[in-house]
Amino acid sequence: MKQELNYEIDLPTKSEWWRYFAEYRYFVDFTFRELKGGEVTNLSLPFLFCIRHTLEIGYKMNLIELQKVSDLHSEISYKGKPAHRIDDLHKEFELQMAAIIKKYNVKTDDVREYKLLSSDLAKFKSLLHKLDEFSFSFRYPVRNDGKTVNFAREVNHTKNASINFQSLKELYDRSMLLLTYTTDVVATYIGK
């Protein structure tokens, strides 16, 4: 028997990026774990939106912290289309990490591990970015012109717009590992 829901929830009064990231990540992990059979067919668009939004928050959370130790200002938009460009956020993340690796003379093994996970993060970002460049396509049936179908061949430049959730989950898991623990690893180099 299911336990009754707690319907009265106090929403956070502080805007903590880590909390938003953790809650969205928990939701995505929960959904991956609990989906049965073909349920993903009926949940694919809102689920993909939440996956993409988790990635966006993960980038922003990291950039805000990494710029504090890299001596390099991050360009993070919070308004309009640029606020949702995960390709731009990924470039900023890579710039921050390159500056930190150089500044703190990060160990070869840590750099190698970072590059492996970063490669998966780039693939994950590219997959989502190709289908939903501005965090719009997974939310609405048409582009912001009100006419063009989001997943039409002429829009996304592919034979057909499809996504394999098993492959997506594998990239998601490795990407979240990097976004969750990057600042912890960087913190071990500060003050040495």
Side-chain angles (χ1 to χ4, degrees):
M1 181 160 87
K2 281 193 171 184
Q3 183 178 352
E4 185 65 25
L5 290 176
N6 176 9
Y7 292 103
E8 187 69 31
I9 303 295
D10 292 329
L11 296 175
T13 57
K14 294 181 181 177
S15 56
E16 299 164 323
W17 286 92
W18 65 266
R19 179 175 179 169
Y20 276 70
F21 176 70
E23 287 196 22
Y24 270 91
R25 182 175 177 199
Y26 183 86
F27 175 78
V28 171
D29 291 344
F30 175 84
T31 305
F32 268 125
R33 188 176 59 250
E34 295 299 319
L35 281 175
K36 305 288 187 265
E39 289 176 335
V40 74
T41 303
N42 295 320
L43 300 174
S44 61
L45 294 172
F47 190 33
L48 284 166
F49 166 73
C50 287
I51 291 168
R52 188 193 184 287
H53 194 63
T54 303
L55 176 62
E56 182 181 323
I57 293 172
Y59 278 131
K60 289 177 180 177
M61 172 189 72
N62 273 278
L63 291 172
I64 289 166
E65 296 305 316
L66 294 175
Q67 72 180 351
K68 293 175 183 176
V69 297
S70 70
D71 296 330
L72 182 64
H73 175 72
S74 281
E75 293 296 324
I76 305 170
S77 295
Y78 297 99
K79 186 176 177 182
K81 280 185 180 182
H84 304 290
R85 300 264 331 210
I86 56 176
D87 58 335
D88 291 344
L89 292 169
H90 183 82
K91 288 176 197 167
E92 286 290 328
F93 182 77
E94 291 290 325
L95 288 171
Q96 289 294 324
M97 288 306 297
I100 288 168
I101 287 167
K102 183 177 179 181
K103 179 179 177 179
Y104 292 100
N105 196 25
V106 175
K107 292 187 289 188
T108 304
D109 289 345
D110 288 340
V111 172
R112 188 178 308 118
E113 184 67 20
Y114 164 73
K115 286 182 179 182
L116 286 170
L117 291 170
S118 179
S119 173
D120 289 334
L121 177 61
K123 291 174 194 169
F124 181 58
K125 179 270 308 173
S126 293
L127 176 67
L128 293 173
H129 179 71
K130 182 171 79 171
L131 293 171
D132 193 355
E133 188 175 351
F134 297 108
S135 188
F136 202 87
S137 299
F138 297 143
R139 295 188 289 156
Y140 306 107
V142 292
R143 295 237 153 174
N144 60 2
D145 64 6
K147 300 177 216 166
T148 307
V149 177
N150 283 324
F151 302 113
R153 289 182 180 156
E154 62 275 2
V155 172
N156 64 27
H157 312 291
T158 62
K159 289 182 183 177
N160 58 10
S162 65
I163 194 160
N164 180 305
F165 272 85
Q166 182 177 356
S167 299
L168 178 77
K169 181 171 182 349
E170 291 168 4
L171 289 171
Y172 166 83
D173 287 342
R174 291 191 297 273
S175 297
M176 291 303 112
L177 183 66
L178 179 61
L179 292 175
T180 301
Y181 296 107
T182 294
T183 55
D184 291 342
V185 173
V186 167
T188 65
Y189 285 93
I190 297 171
K192 283 189 173 183

